[in-house]
mmCIF file of all heavy atoms in Angstrom:
data_model
loop_
_atom_site.group_PDB
_atom_site.id
_atom_site.type_symbol
_atom_site.label_atom_id
_atom_site.label_comp_id
_atom_site.label_asym_id
_atom_site.label_seq_id
_atom_site.Cartn_x
_atom_site.Cartn_y
_atom_site.Cartn_z
ATOM 1 N N ARG A 241 100.482 110.825 93.113
ATOM 2 C CA ARG A 241 101.114 110.301 91.899
ATOM 3 C C ARG A 241 101.025 111.302 90.747
ATOM 4 O O ARG A 241 102.015 111.521 90.065
ATOM 5 C CB ARG A 241 100.472 108.978 91.505
ATOM 6 C CG ARG A 241 100.673 107.848 92.470
ATOM 7 C CD ARG A 241 100.487 106.502 91.793
ATOM 8 N NE ARG A 241 99.144 106.368 91.241
ATOM 9 C CZ ARG A 241 98.086 105.913 91.922
ATOM 10 N NH1 ARG A 241 98.224 105.609 93.200
ATOM 11 N NH2 ARG A 241 96.903 105.801 91.352
ATOM 12 N N LEU A 252 112.286 117.229 83.594
ATOM 13 C CA LEU A 252 112.840 116.680 82.357
ATOM 14 C C LEU A 252 112.832 117.758 81.248
ATOM 15 O O LEU A 252 113.742 117.782 80.423
ATOM 16 C CB LEU A 252 112.036 115.449 81.896
ATOM 17 C CG LEU A 252 112.204 114.210 82.756
ATOM 18 C CD1 LEU A 252 111.414 113.055 82.163
ATOM 19 C CD2 LEU A 252 113.688 113.802 82.851
ATOM 20 N N SER A 281 122.540 93.181 74.725
ATOM 21 C CA SER A 281 123.345 92.001 74.988
ATOM 22 C C SER A 281 122.909 90.834 74.143
ATOM 23 O O SER A 281 123.702 90.011 73.702
ATOM 24 C CB SER A 281 123.245 91.630 76.494
ATOM 25 O OG SER A 281 121.938 91.330 76.871
ATOM 26 N N THR A 288 123.516 79.240 68.337
ATOM 27 C CA THR A 288 124.040 77.963 67.876
ATOM 28 C C THR A 288 125.457 77.772 68.351
ATOM 29 O O THR A 288 126.178 78.747 68.569
ATOM 30 C CB THR A 288 124.021 77.904 66.313
ATOM 31 O OG1 THR A 288 124.825 78.932 65.814
ATOM 32 C CG2 THR A 288 122.603 78.034 65.789
ATOM 33 N N ARG A 324 121.368 74.909 72.733
ATOM 34 C CA ARG A 324 121.454 76.205 73.323
ATOM 35 C C ARG A 324 120.265 77.069 72.963
ATOM 36 O O ARG A 324 120.190 78.264 73.272
ATOM 37 C CB ARG A 324 122.734 76.943 72.894
ATOM 38 C CG ARG A 324 124.008 76.359 73.437
ATOM 39 C CD ARG A 324 125.120 77.324 73.295
ATOM 40 N NE ARG A 324 124.848 78.526 74.038
ATOM 41 C CZ ARG A 324 125.402 79.720 73.753
ATOM 42 N NH1 ARG A 324 126.151 79.840 72.710
ATOM 43 N NH2 ARG A 324 125.119 80.759 74.463
ATOM 44 N N VAL A 326 116.874 78.554 73.330
ATOM 45 C CA VAL A 326 115.905 78.790 74.397
ATOM 46 C C VAL A 326 114.745 79.550 73.828
ATOM 47 O O VAL A 326 114.881 80.353 72.894
ATOM 48 C CB VAL A 326 116.560 79.593 75.553
ATOM 49 C CG1 VAL A 326 115.615 79.736 76.720
ATOM 50 C CG2 VAL A 326 117.841 78.922 75.990
ATOM 51 N N LEU A 383 127.567 102.663 94.146
ATOM 52 C CA LEU A 383 127.945 104.081 94.342
ATOM 53 C C LEU A 383 127.483 104.937 93.165
ATOM 54 O O LEU A 383 127.116 106.122 93.357
ATOM 55 C CB LEU A 383 129.451 104.170 94.540
ATOM 56 C CG LEU A 383 130.037 103.432 95.755
ATOM 57 C CD1 LEU A 383 131.510 103.703 95.874
ATOM 58 C CD2 LEU A 383 129.299 103.799 97.034
ATOM 59 N N TRP A 420 129.057 99.990 102.093
ATOM 60 C CA TRP A 420 128.653 99.041 103.127
ATOM 61 C C TRP A 420 127.133 99.107 103.347
ATOM 62 O O TRP A 420 126.475 98.087 103.456
ATOM 63 C CB TRP A 420 129.383 99.302 104.417
ATOM 64 C CG TRP A 420 128.830 98.599 105.631
ATOM 65 C CD1 TRP A 420 128.306 99.204 106.710
ATOM 66 C CD2 TRP A 420 128.756 97.188 105.856
ATOM 67 N NE1 TRP A 420 127.867 98.247 107.621
ATOM 68 C CE2 TRP A 420 128.155 97.005 107.113
ATOM 69 C CE3 TRP A 420 129.139 96.079 105.115
ATOM 70 C CZ2 TRP A 420 127.921 95.744 107.655
ATOM 71 C CZ3 TRP A 420 128.887 94.797 105.641
ATOM 72 C CH2 TRP A 420 128.321 94.659 106.890
ATOM 73 N N LYS A 438 110.617 94.730 102.304
ATOM 74 C CA LYS A 438 111.798 95.497 102.617
ATOM 75 C C LYS A 438 112.303 96.307 101.411
ATOM 76 O O LYS A 438 112.965 97.301 101.556
ATOM 77 C CB LYS A 438 112.912 94.607 103.156
ATOM 78 C CG LYS A 438 112.580 93.944 104.477
ATOM 79 C CD LYS A 438 112.322 94.941 105.592
ATOM 80 C CE LYS A 438 112.047 94.269 106.905
ATOM 81 N NZ LYS A 438 111.824 95.227 108.023
ATOM 82 N N TRP A 473 102.235 100.850 100.220
ATOM 83 C CA TRP A 473 101.250 100.551 99.189
ATOM 84 C C TRP A 473 101.237 101.634 98.141
ATOM 85 O O TRP A 473 101.075 101.346 96.942
ATOM 86 C CB TRP A 473 99.868 100.401 99.834
ATOM 87 C CG TRP A 473 98.776 100.110 98.875
ATOM 88 C CD1 TRP A 473 97.728 100.912 98.537
ATOM 89 C CD2 TRP A 473 98.597 98.948 98.082
ATOM 90 N NE1 TRP A 473 96.918 100.322 97.588
ATOM 91 C CE2 TRP A 473 97.449 99.093 97.287
ATOM 92 C CE3 TRP A 473 99.334 97.750 97.932
ATOM 93 C CZ2 TRP A 473 96.984 98.123 96.406
ATOM 94 C CZ3 TRP A 473 98.899 96.771 97.057
ATOM 95 C CH2 TRP A 473 97.744 96.987 96.294
ATOM 96 N N GLU A 511 111.466 113.029 93.042
ATOM 97 C CA GLU A 511 110.445 113.941 93.555
ATOM 98 C C GLU A 511 109.687 113.323 94.711
ATOM 99 O O GLU A 511 109.319 113.988 95.690
ATOM 100 C CB GLU A 511 109.479 114.293 92.442
ATOM 101 C CG GLU A 511 110.060 115.112 91.304
ATOM 102 C CD GLU A 511 110.483 116.501 91.767
ATOM 103 O OE1 GLU A 511 109.931 116.999 92.791
ATOM 104 O OE2 GLU A 511 111.352 117.119 91.091
#
Side-chain angles (χ1 to χ4, degrees):
R241 293 201 301 273
L252 289 181
S281 61
T288 60
R324 291 196 63 204
V326 185
L383 299 184
W420 166 244
K438 296 298 183 180
W473 179 247
E511 294 293 339

